Amino acid sequence: MRHTISLLVENEFGVLSRISGLFSGRGFNIESLCVAESLDPTVSTMTIVTTGNDAILEQILKQLNKLINVIKVVDFSEIDYVSREMVLVKVNAEEKTRPEILRMVEIFRGKIIDVSSRSYTIMITGDEAKLKAFISLIKPLGIKELVRTGPIAMARGERMLKIKEKTDIKGGESNG
Amino acid sequence: MKRTGAQIFVESLKAEGIDTIFCYPGGATLNITDALTDISEINQVVVRHEQAAVHAADGYARASGKVGVALVTSGPGATNTVTGIATACMDSIPMVVFSCQVNTMLIGNDAFQEADIVGITRPCTKHSYLVRDVKDLAKIIKEAFHIAASGRPGPVLVDIPKDVSSALADFKYPEKALIRSYQPTYVGHPGQIKKAMRLILHSRRPVLYTGGGVILSNASLELTRFAEALSIPVTNTLMGLGGIPGNHPLFLGMLGMHGTYSANMAITESDLIIAMGARFDDRATGKTDEFAPHAKIIHVDIDPTSISKNIKVDIPIVGDTRNVLIQMLKIVENEKETYRQQHRNVAEWIEKITEWKKNYPLTYQKNSTLKPQYVIERVYELTKGKAIITTEVGQNQMWTAQFFKFLKPRTCLTSGGLGTMGYGFPAAIGAQVAFPRSLVVDIAGDGSIQMNIQELATAVQYNLPVKVVILNNGFLGMVRQWQELFYEKRYTWTHLHSPDFVKVAEAYGAVGLRIENEKDVDKVLKEAFKNKRPTFIDVHVNPEECVYPMVPAGASLKEMLLV
Ligand SMILES: Cc1ncc(C[n+]2csc(CCOP(=O)(O)OP(=O)(O)O)c2C)c(N)n1
Ligand SMILES: [Mg+2]
């Protein structure tokens, strides 16, 4: 089963390697991972797409939560959410295929962001199904290169990824 | 007034109340080493190998409940700590390891004695820091100690570049560590606890299965009270030994691969397992599909990742074991009458367990040879159980777990999770530093003791009268046992040539004693325990003795090979 997870993490160096290390060290899959600074510059948002059964997902969520630099973990499995991805595709653009390409870009509401005498570079954003459809339609025309960002996700409506107020914990309480 | 990073380091340790560090110097430590000159508030124990510094800090922490501290140099000094850190991490031992690092400018350049120790130890620390600015040093030290000791404890590494320890900054030690992303849960959810108590009330064959979490949270008293209040038999993991007195009538002994018959059978036939601060390690559960097949499971643990990791549980309770036990005891107290019935409800079960205990006690075949189990029994009797015991790894460790009755928590110091040979001796040194007047005994194997034997020099230098009982069987005994049982006695690699341990001890300036037959055991042990010097006791035991019961790897707990 495929799962989309969102994380708020401290925007500090080394955090990404803690997270990727956790996945590789415990044999969890990462299908994609997106990370960038959030509105609050001390915090980064990450979107991870992973696969695994319920038990594995439970471990992934708990283990992520356990990392000291991870502020919040949200599993979108049970939340209504939107998710979008961007793909850049460089396709062969010859005299006779150009109109076809332009039409497709228009239908998919993409953009041509670079042009050369023999190629177009197209940018498309959308959900997974849309990107898949576009790629399969454009493929026969000759894809030279393709780069995807991996999806980013957000809950629908008023729900938000928020940081809880700092709470005060007494040090060493468990150690008496 | 500005201070150097090294001074800030020293002041921070003092502010944190650290009275002991285990250390080893090098080029990168020099600023700090120098700042520690004449600092009498901090006892500085210089070991002979950085691995031992970490194990000693670990032994110090396990015995005292305080945070252990080690300090080493960059590069090889830092990499030498890895086994010690991994050992502490697997057993959740609170510890801060300070490694020194090359100058910030040189990091990443493959500089002389540079190692990316933060990277190397990332998977085996609870957390780690590279200090990049002297202004952050005090805050990082505060956080490191807080993280190490709170929640599920563990080792934290702090890497301090040499230019950071020489740079100047204002010093103010923060009063509190505020980490927004780290808030362990200490109190159990009352609803879950209520549900758990209801299950307990309905069970007829309950078993408490408790681990290192009980020791770490100082919950032994509460555990014992709880077991008594409801008449629930208790089995311990290796890490949990001492959680209930080893001679308590409700105690079943250790469970698992080398657990007692009664513990493993009780688990197998139980209708309710109450797991506390234990994490269902494969050495404890045997084949997981057949672990406690008839039982519902309640699991109390401070670490949510431990819950339902290996075995699906029915009632998870996240919280500090001691707090949860106190919460549970309160319920029992409030409904005395209801819970009193439980004694009657489980009477049949207790009877059955008593039968098992009587019919299948831990035992060994006595013959004309000197049996290692006998030696441990005598150590127990002669010390009246009032010693801090450390072990190495192998048969020596399992026999100690079986035949020494741990009467108190924090008296069984052993590498449970990682199973690190070479742990016991430096850990004993650490425990002895924490308790200079206690009797500290390392029950060792002839193989393991050689992994950190150089620490004899440390013990002699600091007058630490640690006793090392070497169960010398001429073999890497535990591996040999597997070869005997599963590889048709092909003892490839496991036959050991060892030095004369008596002479080795004497060469270092310690006492060396030898026992070759049963009749000398008491006399020599008494002599060893009486003297005030570090002492090796080389005990020539039966070379081909095996540890029983044994559940073969992958088998279920009821499939025990008995003596
Ligand atoms: C550092 C390390 N290396 C290897 C092992 C694997 N191992 C486990 S038990 C054992 C034999 C230990 O021999 P000894 O110390 O003589 O103890 P005995 O079993 O004979 O009591 C070995 C090699 C280990 N646990 N730790
Ligand atoms: Mg041996």
Side-chain angles (χ1 to χ4, degrees), chain B residues 79-93:
Chain B
T79 54
N80 268 349
T81 64
V82 173
T83 304
I85 294 173
T87 302
C89 195
M90 286 290 261
D91 291 346
S92 313
I93 304 307

Side-chain angles (χ1 to χ4, degrees), chain B residues 445-447 471 473-477:
Chain B
D446 45 335
L471 300 177
N473 52 12
F475 278 109
L476 296 170

Side-chain angles (χ1 to χ4, degrees), chain B residues 6 46 220 301 330 452 475 484 496 524 547:
Chain B
V46 181
S220 337
D301 206 292
K330 211 166 271 164
N452 271 317
F475 278 109
E484 175 181 332
L496 281 193
V524 177
V547 182

Side-chain angles (χ1 to χ4, degrees), chain B residues 358-563:
Chain B
K358 203 173 75 205
N359 295 337
Y360 302 94
L362 277 173
T363 182
Y364 55 95
Q365 263 160 13
K366 300 193 171 85
N367 55 29
S368 60
T369 65
L370 176 52
K371 293 290 180 128
Q373 299 93 327
Y374 173 78
V375 178
I376 294 170
E377 281 176 341
R378 295 316 299 161
V379 173
Y380 172 72
E381 293 297 337
L382 293 174
T383 59
K384 302 187 183 70
K386 284 192 194 123
I388 298 171
I389 302 289
T390 73
T391 80
E392 300 293 341
V393 170
Q395 295 180 315
N396 57 83
Q397 179 183 38
M398 290 299 111
W399 284 320
T400 307
Q402 293 178 332
F403 290 93
F404 195 96
K405 297 186 187 75
F406 293 95
L407 303 179
K408 284 199 178 139
R410 302 191 179 282
T411 57
C412 174
L413 281 41
T414 190
S415 167
L418 199 65
T420 309
M421 290 169 67
Y423 168 81
F425 184 33
I429 288 176
Q432 189 79 77
V433 171
F435 295 101
R437 272 182 289 281
S438 296
L439 178 59
V440 182
V441 183
D442 172 28
I443 308 234
D446 45 335
S448 301
I449 192 58
Q450 295 214 62
M451 289 216 174
N452 271 317
I453 202 161
Q454 77 285 345
E455 296 310 315
L456 262 170
T458 310
V460 170
Q461 178 175 343
Y462 294 93
N463 250 321
L464 300 165
V466 170
K467 314 298 171 193
V468 181
V469 177
I470 304 171
L471 300 177
N472 188 347
N473 52 12
F475 278 109
L476 296 170
M478 186 55 96
V479 184
R480 185 207 61 75
Q481 173 168 344
W482 285 53
Q483 290 174 323
E484 175 181 332
L485 297 174
F486 311 116
Y487 295 87
E488 286 136 7
K489 298 197 177 188
R490 284 185 297 277
Y491 295 156
T492 312
W493 298 3
T494 45
H495 193 68
L496 281 193
H497 171 81
S498 286
D500 180 330
F501 289 115
V502 173
K503 283 193 183 154
V504 170
E506 286 169 356
Y508 273 99
V511 177
L513 303 169
R514 180 166 291 130
I515 300 176
E516 277 166 328
N517 48 54
E518 204 174 292
K519 74 172 192 338
D520 292 341
V521 171
D522 276 28
K523 189 179 86 213
V524 177
L525 284 179
K526 272 187 203 155
E527 185 185 334
F529 296 160
K530 215 170 53 212
N531 81 39
K532 294 280 179 286
R533 291 167 61 199
T535 305
F536 269 25
I537 308 117
D538 179 25
V539 192
H540 289 203
V541 296
N542 184 349
E544 297 200 32
E545 189 68 15
C546 283
V547 182
Y548 290 116
M550 178 173 190
V551 178
S556 75
L557 286 186
K558 63 174 187 293
E559 299 170 81
M560 280 167 277
L561 310 174
L562 299 171
V563 178

Side-chain angles (χ1 to χ4, degrees), chain A residues 10 13 17-18 40 42-43 58-59 62-63 66 68-71 163-169 171-176, chain B residues 65 94 122 126-128 130 132 146-147 149 151-152 176 180-183 186 216-218 303-305 307-309 320:
Chain A
E10 295 291 347
F13 96 123
S17 65
R18 284 181 206 281
D40 174 350
T42 67
V43 175
E58 185 181 331
Q59 267 301 306
K62 286 174 168 178
Q63 294 285 358
K66 188 169 158 181
I68 308 284
N69 294 139
V70 171
I71 304 168
I163 304 174
K164 265 193 280 175
E165 278 299 291
K166 290 184 191 188
T167 47
D168 187 3
I169 333 143
E173 198 169 280
S174 74
N175 265 34
Chain B
R122 190 171 294 122
K126 181 169 173 186
H127 196 52
S128 48
L130 168 62
R132 300 205 291 181
H146 171 62
I147 291 171
R152 176 177 178 177
K176 278 181 188 141
R180 61 177 165 186
S181 53
Y182 174 67
Q183 292 155 24
Y186 285 101
L216 289 163
S217 70
N218 297 314
D303 179 2
T305 68
I307 295 178
S308 289
K309 182 174 63 181
D320 173 76

